[in-house]
Amino acid sequence: MDKEGLALKLLKLTEKTGYDIVQHNGQRRFGPPRDWTGPPPPKGCEIFIGRLPREVYEDELVPLFSKVGKIYEMRLMMDFSGSNRGYAFVTYTTQAEAAAAIRQLNGYEIRPGINIGVVMSVDNCRLFIGNIPPTRSKEEIYEELKSRVPGVVNVILYKNRFDRNTNRRFAFAEFSSHRAAAMARRALVPGNVKLWGQEVTVDWAEPEPHVDEDLMRNVKVLYARNFEIRTTPEAIKKIFESAINNKIERVKKIYDYAFIHFYDRKHAELAMAKLQNIEIDGSVIEICWAKPVDRELYKIQKLSRGNAKFNKSFDLNQTLLLYKQHLAKMEFDKGSKDEGIGSAYASESTCGSPLDTKPRQFINYDYPLAPRKLEAMCNRYSWLPPKYYFKKFLDINGAEWWVCSVELPLVGYPLFSAPKNIGPFTTRHCFSYQQAHVEAAETILHVLKCLNMDILQQAAIQPVYTPLVSPNCLSVPCNVYQTSTMQVPIQTIPTIWQPPA
């Protein structure tokens, strides 16, 4: 279609519908309605359309998707040649209309032999911010972000499990819209902006799974966080039963958070109202509803970042098919092993026992940032992946301690002209396998940063954490004895395809 013919068709479309069409930042927006009043449609009203032929435009798409319900806005991604980029987003006025569009138009044959894919869009409004000073409070982080970027509505900060006076050096910032989050992500590019005098890492947070509101009304499980490590499930159960003056089904506590199962929804509502922000063992507890989740669908969503993005390792046809199957069934696992999801990073420590050597244990997309960053750096420069060596000890009281030794074999360009080994370096004693893994990765990242600052000084560099055992032999201190040894290959994190926002 020539440009003049397309322009004429789009003009007729605007006259017929009363919607404006504006092209900006690589996308063409149709809508919103001129007579629209009030806030935009809520989250869950936007769908993603994939596999569009390059010559399909709004004059064909709007009538097709308007058959299902009223369109609030359509965003068609465009390239410099004037063709579309193969995908678009449509926002309906209600969540029911969006769900109906997925059911009716996913797989629609828009051209002979060409079927489009229609799935729910992951309308991500949350950013992950790493490398935050450990002494900063939630209020300080909120005020700092608010002074830098617009649209910040909330900050979620997790305290250190073992030192409640410090944070875990990362936070989540929630924004009023996906666009506001995208603009903030661009403004806070590492290297251009420093917060509190140091560089921070800013990226899309893992999108939380969308759960139908009708299903959430039937949830009888609460997610509570910020518990002290020493607080027992029995103590939590006693406090919650005392608040509602009734028995509760069970409590499952994992490190500093817990899932509380009730027999009756009204009991859960009463407990949340009475115990929100209560102090237990000196720590203020935050409570929200646990989200039931389809594990397979959640796994697919966790492989993506931002707004309806798909991983290259997944075939798009397969991904869309899985979305179709699970959204059509709308079945959520109610088994005893699945407590639900309280937060995007709530399940950080639930990857299984460290002694479980099955490969699935290590395919954990909730890993903190340091191991991911190290793997990505090795992939980028074609270095061999890091080697981690773990040892578990028991102290005289029977408590488990973990030590990790890590090395980078054959590190070459751009640090060295001839490949060299870096390491091994050994961490301090850690409370868990996961903590040892993260601290080992942080140690190597610190060493690489020092090398990058002055490549000429290639002398041995001390790691971030002073080793408590010898890096070469991992000798056991006098007050502990060795129980097991293992070498763990960490899986490579897949590359993510990220279409522009």
Side-chain angles (χ1 to χ4, degrees):
M1 182 187 302
D2 61 272
K3 292 184 179 180
E4 293 183 1
L6 176 60
L8 183 59
K9 287 189 175 183
L10 294 182
L11 179 60
K12 291 181 179 179
L13 180 64
T14 59
E15 293 174 350
K16 180 179 179 180
T17 60
Y19 287 56
D20 295 322
I21 296 180
V22 179
Q23 185 162 338
H24 182 63
N25 286 342
Q27 57 183 286
R28 198 155 59 206
R29 293 175 175 269
F30 170 82
R34 296 171 184 169
D35 58 351
W36 183 269
T37 57
K43 191 172 182 178
C45 294
E46 186 178 74
I47 62 174
F48 171 82
I49 311 166
R51 293 201 301 268
L52 284 175
R54 294 302 183 95
E55 72 281 359
V56 171
Y57 300 100
E58 293 88 346
D59 62 302
E60 187 172 351
L61 293 174
V62 170
L64 174 62
F65 284 87
S66 295
K67 294 178 181 178
V68 180
K70 183 176 181 179
I71 293 178
Y72 172 79
E73 182 182 70
M74 173 181 289
R75 295 184 290 125
L76 183 63
M77 304 300 142
M78 306 295 294
D79 61 21
F80 293 108
S81 67
S83 301
N84 76 64
R85 299 178 64 183
Y87 63 98
F89 298 90
V90 172
T91 302
Y92 285 95
T93 55
T94 67
Q95 295 176 350
E97 291 171 333
I102 294 171
R103 289 193 303 270
Q104 297 178 28
L105 297 176
N106 185 35
Y108 177 82
E109 189 175 19
I110 198 166
R111 292 285 188 275
I114 300 178
N115 302 85
I116 60 174
V118 182
V119 299
M120 184 65 69
S121 170
V122 184
D123 191 12
N124 202 353
C125 302
R126 179 182 290 191
L127 293 180
F128 170 84
I129 303 176
N131 201 30
I132 292 174
T135 57
R136 296 294 174 178
S137 67
K138 174 180 177 179
E139 291 72 22
E140 289 175 319
I141 297 172
Y142 176 80
E143 291 299 328
E144 181 70 16
L145 291 176
K146 190 177 179 180
S147 67
R148 302 271 186 167
V149 293
V152 183
V153 296
N154 188 30
V155 168
I156 301 172
L157 183 69
Y158 293 91
K159 293 183 179 180
N160 190 306
R161 294 170 182 154
F162 311 106
D163 182 1
R164 310 305 288 182
N165 295 320
T166 62
N167 62 59
R168 298 190 198 174
R169 299 185 63 85
F170 69 86
F172 297 99
E174 294 184 339
F175 291 81
S176 56
S177 66
H178 173 74
R179 176 175 175 79
M183 294 298 103
R185 180 170 174 259
R186 293 181 183 180
L188 299 174
V189 173
N192 294 343
V193 176
K194 289 187 177 181
L195 303 183
W196 308 286
Q198 65 184 54
E199 290 187 6
V200 294
T201 303
V202 181
D203 203 349
W204 289 109
E206 300 290 355
E208 292 188 312
H210 172 72
V211 182
D212 186 75
E213 290 184 0
D214 292 335
L215 184 64
M216 286 299 299
R217 294 190 189 101
N218 297 320
V219 170
K220 296 183 290 185
V221 182
L222 293 180
Y223 166 76
R225 67 184 183 93
N226 290 343
F227 289 106
E228 293 286 340
I229 296 295
R230 68 177 185 273
T231 304
T232 64
E234 292 74 20
I236 298 173
K237 185 175 182 180
K238 184 177 180 180
I239 292 172
F240 275 77
E241 287 182 339
S242 176
I244 64 174
N245 198 27
N246 271 287
K247 293 289 184 180
I248 65 175
E249 184 179 350
R250 62 191 173 93
V251 172
K252 182 174 181 180
K253 182 172 183 283
I254 307 169
Y255 289 99
D256 59 347
Y257 63 94
F259 294 96
I260 300 96
H261 295 246
F262 293 81
Y263 289 108
D264 191 288
R265 164 82 180 196
K266 292 181 179 179
H267 293 165
E269 293 173 349
L270 179 61
M272 181 184 291
K274 284 189 173 183
L275 300 179
Q276 185 69 267
N277 296 322
I278 190 176
E279 189 172 302
I280 300 178
D281 290 339
S283 184
V284 178
I285 307 304
E286 298 178 12
I287 306 173
C288 63
W289 293 107
K291 294 183 179 181
V293 62
D294 182 319
R295 291 290 168 179
E296 292 301 319
L297 178 57
Y298 185 52
K299 185 187 299 183
I300 297 170
Q301 291 178 330
K302 295 283 279 185
L303 287 173
S304 63
R305 287 174 179 263
N307 200 335
K309 300 167 185 177
F310 296 98
N311 188 286
K312 285 183 179 179
S313 63
F314 273 83
D315 177 76
L316 182 57
N317 294 325
Q318 178 189 11
T319 307
L320 292 172
L321 179 61
L322 287 172
Y323 263 104
K324 178 181 178 182
Q325 291 172 348
H326 292 288
L327 290 173
K329 288 193 301 182
M330 291 300 290
E331 294 177 356
F332 293 83
D333 193 348
K334 299 181 178 63
S336 59
K337 294 183 179 179
D338 290 335
E339 308 296 326
I341 292 178
S343 161
Y345 272 76
S347 56
E348 175 186 340
S349 304
T350 57
C351 67
S353 167
L355 297 181
D356 181 5
T357 57
K358 297 180 181 179
R360 62 173 175 81
Q361 169 197 349
F362 305 108
I363 306 176
N364 177 17
Y365 297 99
D366 283 333
Y367 271 134
L369 191 63
R372 281 187 173 182
K373 187 175 181 180
L374 182 58
E375 293 287 344
M377 184 177 295
C378 292
N379 289 338
R380 178 180 180 183
Y381 297 119
S382 299
W383 300 342
L384 290 179
K387 292 183 178 180
Y388 297 89
Y389 304 88
F390 294 87
K391 282 215 173 188
K392 187 180 78 169
F393 304 94
L394 295 179
D395 64 14
I396 57 177
N397 297 318
E400 290 186 0
W401 295 85
W402 286 83
V403 171
C404 179
S405 179
V406 60
E407 65 175 324
L408 280 181
L410 302 180
V411 173
Y413 176 84
L415 288 182
F416 308 113
S417 57
K420 296 184 179 181
N421 280 26
I422 294 182
F425 298 111
T426 304
T427 67
R428 60 181 177 177
H429 287 80
C430 300
F431 290 96
S432 67
Y433 158 84
Q434 292 88 354
Q435 184 189 12
H437 180 203
V438 172
E439 292 195 0
E442 288 177 345
T443 299
I444 287 291
L445 287 173
H446 176 75
V447 171
L448 292 174
K449 184 177 181 180
C450 292
L451 287 172
N452 192 40
M453 290 168 59
D454 190 353
I455 298 177
L456 297 178
Q457 295 181 2
Q458 297 177 4
I461 298 176
Q462 292 296 321
V464 179
Y465 305 108
T466 303
L468 298 183
V469 294
S470 169
N472 297 323
C473 60
L474 288 177
S475 59
V476 184
C478 60
N479 63 332
V480 299
Y481 60 90
Q482 180 178 344
T483 59
S484 65
T485 307
M486 68 175 180
Q487 175 179 347
V488 183
I490 303 299
Q491 300 291 332
T492 301
I493 302 300
T495 305
I496 304 297
W497 171 66
Q498 300 186 1

